[in-house]
Amino acid sequence: MSYQHRFTDGTAADLPSGKVVCVGRNYAEHARELNNPIPAEPLLFIKPTTAVVPLADPIVLQSRRGPIHFETEIALLIGSTLSGVVSEAQARAAIAGVGLALDLTLRELQDQLKSNGHPWERAKAFDGACPLSLFVPAASVPELDNIGLQLQINGEVRQQGNSAQMITPILTLLCQIATVFTLLPGDVVITGTPAGVGVLRAEDSLRLQIPQMLDQSTDVTD
Ligand code: ZN
């Protein structure tokens, strides 16, 4: 089961499937809803490539490990290496595509791990923990600071946001990440979730959209 990044026109990206660098608490309202302080610098964690699956595949709940929560996030497909100190222009040029991700989270387990001061990987980096949509080619996304995102579950809007609301905007984020983790072609950066996160239930139908650019659906099974 190997994952292949694809664009919205159906073509396969000529890029391997790499790691996913994730940003926590990048929307103030979401930090508040989980009673988390807003970090002074981006809170970063990683999901391995084995967490990545196509969004179109049904999401299988792993109920024995506790409830799985959804977090809808803007995802950036990296097309060329970013390492060390890079300019915003270099960061812009390295983005191959813009899509959406679900940062699936075993929230109760994460709360336990957090309260024990342990790493979060068991709660966020498990197999299948990062469904990824198709990617809109970056050239078709004129304004990185004005990308809308929306999640509907069973026809009801549950999450809605815009990259304009990010605490650390997209290009600043890439520059900061590159000083910590070299971003390689095929890696993905997911940029934090707006408010409205919640638990997934069997039989839920999810519809994820970037208005006018991307519209994908998926289902939840147990
Ligand atoms: Zn997240």
Side-chain angles (χ1 to χ4, degrees):
M1 252 197 355
S2 69
Y3 171 87
Q4 169 71 61
H5 294 300
R6 291 188 173 275
F7 291 110
T8 41
D9 64 5
T11 58
D14 187 17
L15 293 167
S17 173
K19 64 182 174 294
V20 181
V21 179
C22 313
V23 181
R25 303 176 203 167
N26 201 22
Y27 291 81
E29 240 185 291
H30 167 65
R32 278 195 289 270
E33 76 179 341
L34 295 186
N35 293 315
N36 285 319
I38 292 166
E41 57 179 3
L43 192 162
L44 304 178
F45 58 99
I46 283 183
K47 296 186 192 238
T49 182
T50 42
V52 175
V53 289
L55 178 67
D57 289 0
I59 297 167
V60 181
L61 296 178
Q62 309 181 29
S63 37
R64 69 187 188 285
R65 289 196 281 153
I68 294 189
H69 284 225
F70 57 85
E71 299 187 355
T72 312
E73 314 201 359
I74 294 170
L76 309 167
L77 176 61
I78 302 301
S80 57
T81 300
L82 288 175
S83 188
V85 177
V86 299
S87 67
E88 293 203 349
Q90 285 169 311
R92 179 71 170 94
I95 300 173
V98 177
L100 293 173
L102 288 172
D103 170 13
L104 296 182
T105 304
L106 288 155
R107 185 76 67 203
E108 290 179 6
L109 179 58
Q110 186 198 23
D111 288 345
Q112 276 175 30
L113 294 167
K114 276 160 76 173
S115 65
N116 291 327
H118 292 163
W120 298 354
E121 276 85 348
R122 284 174 175 274
K124 278 189 174 276
F126 54 90
D127 288 359
C130 193
L132 288 180
S133 75
L134 301 174
F135 286 92
V136 180
S140 308
V141 184
E143 286 182 276
L144 292 174
D145 290 332
N146 183 20
I147 302 170
L149 69 159
Q150 191 190 79
L151 169 71
Q152 292 178 42
I153 299 184
N154 306 325
E156 187 191 333
V157 177
R158 299 289 296 275
Q159 288 196 278
Q160 203 159 25
N162 190 295
S163 59
Q165 301 159 334
M166 289 180 182
I167 294 168
T168 308
I170 285 175
L171 293 180
T172 315
L173 210 48
L174 291 182
C175 291
Q176 295 196 14
I177 289 170
T179 66
V180 184
F181 304 112
T182 292
L183 292 169
L184 296 172
D187 286 350
V188 169
V189 173
I190 69 173
T191 55
T193 190
V197 300
V199 69
L200 289 176
R201 296 177 205 284
E203 317 297 328
D204 278 346
S205 288
L206 277 62
R207 183 177 179 192
L208 285 79
Q209 289 174 275
I210 296 177
Q212 281 93 51
M213 283 196 256
L214 182 76
D215 187 345
Q216 269 199 266
S217 295
T218 192
D219 295 310
V220 181
T221 63
D222 56 7

